[in-house]
Amino acid sequence: MTPTTILAAELTDVCAELEAWGGAPSALLDRLRRARDLAEGLDPYLDRCTSGESPALARLAQRTRDTDWVRRSSGSLEQEMLSGHVEGRVLNFLVRMSGARRVLEVGMFTGYSALAMAEALPEGGTVVACEVDADVAAFARTCFDDSPVGDRITVEVGPAMATLHRLAESVAAEGSFDFVFIDADKAGYLGYLDLLLDSALLSPGAVIAVDNTLMQGQPYTGLGVTTNGAAIATFNEAVAADARVEQVLVPLRDGLTLVRRVT
């Protein structure tokens, strides 16, 4: 769920209620329908106007949709956690445009974003993907094995913070990262960002992309704020006040913030 899809659903319900009531002026209903159509049609239009996904990504997405994540994970995972076509293309575009050779992903799920970024890497490039759930990591690995670039992805299973500390200790031997994508536990976002900025994990000019930074509109509406919504609001405020970085929050799906160290 994103701010746009929530808005579309609200407007659809309002239109239906007013139509059922029968007392609303026709001009008002027409305006509401136009607003509904603007919100409802945006994501499908973006999807149609964005370059298509590779066959391997399409198969990965279909396998994810066909899996009963509620039963498989006792409700802790859901297919909406998949980055998806448009965001995958944006990540692919950013990785290719930046000339990145080493990519770090914090929070992998079934691997859509990891594979999308791997497809943009040059020969010899690497994605190191952190995933806390061993079962999900195994699911992703089978999907990667179905791709001609799956061998570019290394999966690190375990708590992301522990993995990041270990990677920071081995930077001299293994190298720093040119691009980082964070899409993990929201309460951990600030800790991940601070570790990245305070260590040698980032190469000069590296870009960090952080997902879900609009969190269904909760940070700016203050309505129905969940634990995740509160964590994202805190994260956004901290990043905006951090003199070490420059950032831009892009209203893509549920929000994507791009961060770059400047000091």
Side-chain angles (χ1 to χ4, degrees):
M1 295 177 66
T2 70
T4 302
T5 61
I6 293 169
L7 176 61
E10 289 286 341
L11 288 170
T12 296
D13 288 347
V14 169
C15 287
E17 290 177 15
L18 289 177
E19 289 165 355
W21 172 45
S26 60
L28 175 61
L29 268 174
D30 286 343
R31 291 175 63 189
L32 284 170
R33 291 179 185 124
R34 285 197 296 273
R36 175 201 61 196
D37 293 345
L38 280 169
E40 194 173 60
L42 178 59
D43 283 351
Y45 188 72
L46 294 178
D47 192 74
R48 291 197 303 273
C49 293
T50 296
S51 297
E53 58 193 359
S54 69
L57 279 171
R59 289 190 295 270
L60 187 157
Q62 189 61 53
R63 283 193 62 193
T64 302
R65 287 191 291 267
D66 291 343
T67 299
D68 185 349
W69 292 105
V70 173
R71 177 175 298 177
R72 183 166 182 159
S73 66
S74 300
S76 62
L77 301 173
E78 54 187 19
Q79 68 177 45
E80 285 189 0
M81 296 170 67
L82 191 79
S83 297
H85 170 215
V86 175
E87 186 169 9
R89 268 294 174 185
V90 169
L91 293 171
N92 178 289
F93 202 102
L94 290 171
V95 168
R96 194 181 303 275
M97 184 172 63
S98 67
R101 295 189 63 85
R102 279 179 58 79
V103 173
L104 173 64
E105 179 172 60
V106 183
M108 180 182 68
F109 189 40
T110 58
Y112 192 98
S113 51
L115 185 55
M117 293 186 290
E119 291 180 347
L121 290 173
E123 193 69 33
T126 301
V127 175
V128 177
C130 305
E131 174 55 48
V132 70
D133 189 312
D135 181 51
V136 177
F139 181 103
R141 186 73 263 171
T142 62
C143 295
F144 299 155
D145 291 343
D146 186 39
S147 165
V149 300
D151 58 352
R152 297 176 182 174
I153 304 170
T154 299
V155 181
E156 297 283 351
V157 179
M161 190 61 78
T163 300
L164 293 180
H165 277 294
R166 181 170 52 77
L167 290 171
E169 293 171 357
S170 61
V171 162
E174 299 181 16
S176 55
F177 293 94
D178 310 307
F179 190 87
V180 180
F181 180 48
I182 301 176
D183 184 15
D185 58 301
K186 310 316 169 192
Y189 273 20
L190 264 181
Y192 301 142
L193 181 63
D194 282 336
L195 195 157
L196 289 166
L197 294 175
D198 293 337
S199 70
L201 280 169
L202 299 179
S203 64
V207 172
I208 304 168
V210 187
D211 202 16
N212 301 118
T213 47
L214 287 179
M215 189 48 67
Q216 302 173 12
Q218 295 175 28
Y220 62 88
T221 65
L223 300 175
V225 178
T226 62
T227 301
N228 281 342
I232 289 297
T234 299
F235 174 82
N236 289 343
E237 291 170 8
V239 173
D242 194 331
R244 296 173 296 176
V245 301
E246 62 180 4
Q247 71 288 334
V248 57
L249 201 169
V250 182
L252 170 70
R253 295 187 76 240
D254 203 24
L256 184 71
T257 296
L258 304 179
V259 182
R260 188 178 73 88
R261 183 164 53 192
V262 295
T263 59

